[in-house]
Amino acid sequence: MGYDVHRFEGDVDEELICSICGGVYESPVQAPQCEHIFCVSCINEWLKRGHASCPVDRSHVDGRDLVQPPRIVRNLLARLKIACDNASFGCQAIVKLDALDAHLTTCKHNPKRPVDCEKGCGSKVPLDELLQHNCVRSLREKVNSLEALIHEQGTLVQEQGAKLREQNREICLLKDMIRSLRLSHIGPSLPLEDAERRSQIAHWMINLAPARVSRWGGMISTPDAVLQAVIKRALIDSNCPTWLCNELMENAHERKWPPGLSSLETRQLNRRRYEQYNTKRIPGKQAVVVMHLENEHMGDSMTAFPGLVLIFAHGIE
């Protein structure tokens, strides 16, 4: 929609008048074939109504082909002098058309100009809404906006936390898979022809969750038969192969432990080394397995094949 011609100082050339709205061009564009010029909003509305022709001479017009008018037309428009939009509110300024937007941003008579609340709530309020401004409602809206923002940020933090936990879980699974691949290099303890056993061990180890021992002093070195039976049942329930379960349970007592764990004295001397163990939790029990294939870095004095079962009174996480 063009500018009202009555707002301009002096006469306006007819060549600067939009043939659709009858106002002075606002953001003019030109149809390339017939070279007629229109306000951009006027011609777009015309085309939206299903017309595909120039409203002046009916030649074909495509909205995608509209271009800027010649520079001379733009210069003539820029030199026109126009009254401020806020003339009805008391502004008497007459400015060049190309300076109108800059003037409106600072015009003191602009009813939408933001001003500080006179009651001291800190809000910026449009001038024409100042008398109806309610500080309490405004502050409540600010609080609601802040609460919504805090909730949104909290949701993002939770989502990021969930993603990190999932990534950590995937990393742990990858580590387990890498460790299980080392089963192909277990040496003479398992015959090379016994590929089925290696596959069973790998499958079982991957399904065990990593464990952390927070109280190594709670280790039970001589579990009784009842406790060993309970742990053996937990191993069986975890789908541990029968032959492997039997061998692990053989290593659940200090009489079968390697030299570094064989006595209370050696265990006390080596307590600082326990944190280097890679342990897997026996599901639902205060017990872990220390598999030889995951703990070759500990040396023969701290490991046994195929692994150790360590039972605790407490401290397994």
Side-chain angles (χ1 to χ4, degrees):
M1 190 70 178
Y3 300 101
D4 187 341
V5 293
H6 298 102
R7 291 178 56 188
F8 290 87
E9 188 178 71
D11 295 330
V12 178
D13 194 304
E14 290 185 0
E15 297 297 326
L16 303 179
I17 302 296
C18 174
S19 58
I20 298 177
C21 68
V24 176
Y25 296 134
E26 181 176 3
S27 302
V29 290
Q30 184 179 52
Q33 293 185 8
C34 61
E35 298 185 346
H36 288 117
I37 302 173
F38 312 95
C39 302
V40 66
S41 60
C42 293
I43 189 63
N44 284 337
E45 181 64 26
W46 172 267
L47 296 174
K48 283 181 182 178
R49 292 181 180 179
H51 304 292
S53 60
C54 172
V56 177
D57 61 9
R58 304 305 177 186
S59 60
H60 177 74
V61 174
D62 190 323
R64 294 170 295 182
D65 297 331
L66 297 173
V67 297
Q68 281 194 339
R71 180 181 296 275
I72 187 171
V73 174
R74 299 196 303 254
N75 289 342
L76 290 172
L77 285 170
R79 293 171 187 165
L80 294 177
K81 292 186 177 181
I82 186 172
C84 175
D85 291 10
N86 304 314
S88 60
F89 297 100
C91 182
Q92 299 180 2
I94 303 293
V95 298
K96 288 185 177 181
L97 186 57
D98 63 350
L100 179 61
D101 289 340
H103 167 74
L104 291 174
T105 59
T106 58
C107 179
K108 295 181 179 180
H109 298 274
N110 183 358
K112 295 299 180 182
R113 177 171 59 90
V115 295
D116 293 326
C117 172
E118 297 175 346
K119 300 176 184 178
C121 73
S123 300
K124 290 281 188 180
V125 186
L127 182 62
D128 61 349
E129 299 177 15
L130 188 59
L131 293 177
Q132 292 79 32
H133 173 65
N134 186 310
C135 293
V136 174
R137 183 172 61 247
S138 177
L139 291 173
R140 185 180 295 115
E141 290 174 354
K142 289 182 179 180
V143 170
N144 291 339
S145 297
L146 286 173
E147 289 178 345
L149 180 60
I150 291 172
H151 176 74
E152 182 180 351
Q153 291 177 339
T155 301
L156 290 175
V157 169
Q158 290 178 355
E159 291 176 352
Q160 291 297 324
K163 289 180 180 179
L164 287 175
R165 288 191 294 273
E166 179 64 19
Q167 289 175 355
N168 287 335
R169 189 186 70 83
E170 291 177 355
I171 290 172
C172 289
L173 289 175
L174 285 173
K175 286 182 177 179
D176 289 341
M177 293 178 65
I178 291 171
R179 288 176 185 140
S180 68
L181 290 175
R182 295 166 61 188
L183 288 168
S184 60
H185 305 288
I186 60 178
S189 298
L190 277 180
L192 290 177
E193 64 271 12
D194 200 353
E196 177 61 27
R197 284 195 169 194
R198 292 197 297 270
S199 175
Q200 291 176 8
I201 294 175
H203 180 75
W204 179 67
M205 288 172 58
I206 289 175
N207 292 324
L208 290 182
R212 190 177 79 85
V213 181
S214 61
R215 297 185 180 182
W216 286 96
M219 187 188 304
I220 300 174
S221 58
T222 57
D224 58 30
V226 174
L227 183 55
Q228 290 193 60
V230 170
I231 299 302
K232 184 174 182 179
R233 170 50 58 187
L235 285 173
I236 293 172
D237 291 344
S238 72
N239 297 319
C240 180
T242 302
W243 65 268
L244 178 59
C245 178
N246 293 333
E247 291 190 24
L248 288 175
M249 291 309 302
E250 282 292 319
N251 294 342
H253 194 285
E254 67 177 4
R255 65 175 176 267
K256 296 286 289 186
W257 284 354
L261 299 173
S262 61
S263 68
L264 178 60
E265 181 180 1
T266 57
R267 288 195 291 275
Q268 290 176 337
L269 290 174
N270 289 321
R271 288 180 77 172
R272 293 186 177 180
R273 297 191 61 193
Y274 295 158
E275 295 297 334
Q276 299 175 34
Y277 274 135
N278 290 315
T279 60
K280 294 290 185 64
R281 184 167 190 172
I282 297 176
K285 305 300 177 184
Q286 289 290 308
V288 301
V289 289
V290 178
M291 300 302 292
H292 180 270
L293 300 173
E294 295 184 319
N295 291 278
E296 292 178 349
H297 61 282
M298 298 295 289
D300 293 338
S301 67
M302 298 292 289
T303 58
F305 188 86
L308 302 171
V309 170
L310 301 180
I311 306 171
F312 293 82
H314 46 66
I316 304 299
E317 299 177 3

